[in-house]
Amino acid sequence: MELHAAEGQQMSVQKLSRIELIERISKVFSPAAPINRRELFAGRLTQLERVFEATSSRGQHAVIFGERGVGKTSLATIVQDILTDDMQSRSDSFVVKINGSQDDDFSSIWKKAFGEIRVSADTGKSTMNFQSRPILQSMLAAELLPDLVKPNDVMKAARQLGKTVFIIDEFDRVSDEQGLFADTIKTLSDASVDCTVILVGVARDINILVKEHASIDRALIQILMTRMSPDELQEILRKAMHASQMKMASEARDLIVLLSQGLPHYTHVLGKAASMECIKRDRSEVRIDDVHTGISAAIQNTQQSIRNAYQEATATSRKDTLFKEVLLACALAEVDELGFFPAASVRDPLSKIMGKRYEIPNFSQHLDKFSSSDRGNVLEKVGMRRRYRFRFTNPLLQPFVVMRGMEDKMLQGDLMNFLKRKPE
């Protein structure tokens, strides 16, 4: 009986250890939310340096822009965390981070931002005990703004505060037809108000985010968030493994980084899936076979919107169509720093997939359909005839297509080299 009891106790300890590992992995890998812990934040030192250049210089502001899924919100969250710690010793200093939405306009954004700040206002004089003293009352700084907010109103209200940093995430979702945010940045800069505005949004270039006032260039530090380098993605995995007290074989890390294609979201997705497979096998070191097994789990756990987009782009009742193969070739195409590729970059990977030579006329109609509502607009097309460039409308679809290609046995041998030669 004692032997059975001891065995039962040992099994309980092992089970508890597995539960603890699962809990740790769930904390260190965060595919669905921005990173908000400094010890897990990886890379982006250059971008952080440029943001702090703006916040430490009066009259300077910043815009953080780039593709979806490259970590802009994580960067903004860490900036907020660091600045809050640095400025907490000053009672008149504020760091505010808000998210824009399609329902927001210029006035609502600033009311939302100033609504995060509570200040003391002088509401009159007290003559008690024959001494005149101000009566101070706490109020939200949003009360300093009129119902219809103009750039000058933001400047006047900001002047009544101490050092203030406003971080406006998802800025591209905010209606700004009159370029009022550009006017505001110019007004704050010209008046040398001790206030920094950091705009965070998605755009091909800065002209899409800020349409007016070329003269604000001198006041606006432009921070392009490109896809992360392999070294930065490796750092994410190393930090996650250290925090979870697990290990990951170098070949497992290399495959995860390769499949992530510079997007930290998938480093978290695949890192978590592979680690969970490792834990199921009662091991503490993640191996490459855990990654391969984890791919199926990662596909199943991918956002439904991405899975639906893939289905809409590739669904067909005919067997002689090449929608799956051409979309995979697009996902393997060599891209520039903003994710764009010309039709010519699709030619070589498609030829490898099909085992014979394909030229642009053989698949140009597929690219056109992918760029239309016929196939869900999964590709974005820019430029002019014969010089069109394409990129995935949702960059998160791109690694998903590659993983589906692996699962469907479409991706073989040296096709993985097409991923390895993409620019860092």
Side-chain angles (χ1 to χ4, degrees), residues 85-150:
D85 285 350
D86 290 346
M87 296 165 62
Q88 65 181 354
S89 60
R90 293 178 53 181
S91 60
D92 63 341
S93 296
F94 308 96
V95 181
V96 174
K97 180 177 176 291
I98 61 169
N99 291 335
S101 72
Q102 293 178 343
D103 296 328
D104 279 317
D105 57 18
F106 183 80
S107 291
S108 66
I109 279 291
W110 286 112
K111 285 182 177 292
K112 188 188 297 186
F114 278 89
E116 295 291 317
I117 300 172
R118 185 167 288 278
V119 296
S120 296
D122 183 356
T123 61
K125 297 290 184 178
S126 168
T127 57
M128 186 176 292
N129 296 330
F130 305 101
Q131 292 183 350
S132 179
R133 296 178 180 176
I135 300 175
L136 299 180
Q137 180 177 335
S138 178
M139 59 180 283
L140 294 178
E143 296 182 39
L144 300 171
L145 298 172
D147 291 338
L148 184 61
V149 182
K150 299 294 184 183

Side-chain angles (χ1 to χ4, degrees), residues 30 55 206 220 228 253 398:
S30 178
T55 58
I206 193 62
L220 194 65
M228 296 185 81
R253 289 201 312 268
Q398 188 175 356

Side-chain angles (χ1 to χ4, degrees), residues 231-248:
D231 286 344
E232 289 175 320
L233 297 179
Q234 290 271 3
E235 186 182 353
I236 290 175
L237 295 172
R238 283 194 294 268
K239 286 188 171 184
M241 290 296 99
H242 177 76
S244 63
Q245 298 183 22
M246 292 180 65
K247 297 180 180 179
M248 183 176 287

Side-chain angles (χ1 to χ4, degrees), residues 54-66:
T55 58
S56 62
S57 304
R58 188 185 288 261
Q60 285 288 295
H61 305 271
V63 56
I64 303 171
F65 66 105

Side-chain angles (χ1 to χ4, degrees), residues 32 35 94-95 131 137 150 172 183-184 193 233 253 263 281 345 379 411 423:
I35 295 299
F94 308 96
V95 181
Q131 292 183 350
Q137 180 177 335
K150 299 294 184 183
D172 55 302
D183 287 338
T184 302
V193 179
L233 297 179
R253 289 201 312 268
L263 299 174
R281 299 173 186 181
S345 293
L379 293 185
L411 192 56

Side-chain angles (χ1 to χ4, degrees), residues 22-59:
I22 290 173
E23 183 181 12
R24 289 172 183 168
I25 288 298
S26 297
K27 288 181 178 179
V28 299
F29 287 115
S30 178
I35 295 299
N36 56 10
R37 292 169 58 186
R38 288 196 217 181
E39 67 270 22
L40 295 178
F41 186 76
R44 302 306 194 190
L45 295 181
T46 300
Q47 288 84 355
L48 280 171
E49 181 182 355
R50 300 209 69 203
V51 172
F52 295 138
E53 179 186 344
T55 58
S56 62
S57 304
R58 188 185 288 261

Side-chain angles (χ1 to χ4, degrees), residues 215-240:
S215 61
I216 70 168
D217 279 353
R218 61 180 174 78
L220 194 65
I221 295 178
Q222 302 170 19
I223 303 167
L224 171 62
M225 292 281 284
T226 59
R227 298 191 181 197
M228 296 185 81
S229 70
D231 286 344
E232 289 175 320
L233 297 179
Q234 290 271 3
E235 186 182 353
I236 290 175
L237 295 172
R238 283 194 294 268
K239 286 188 171 184

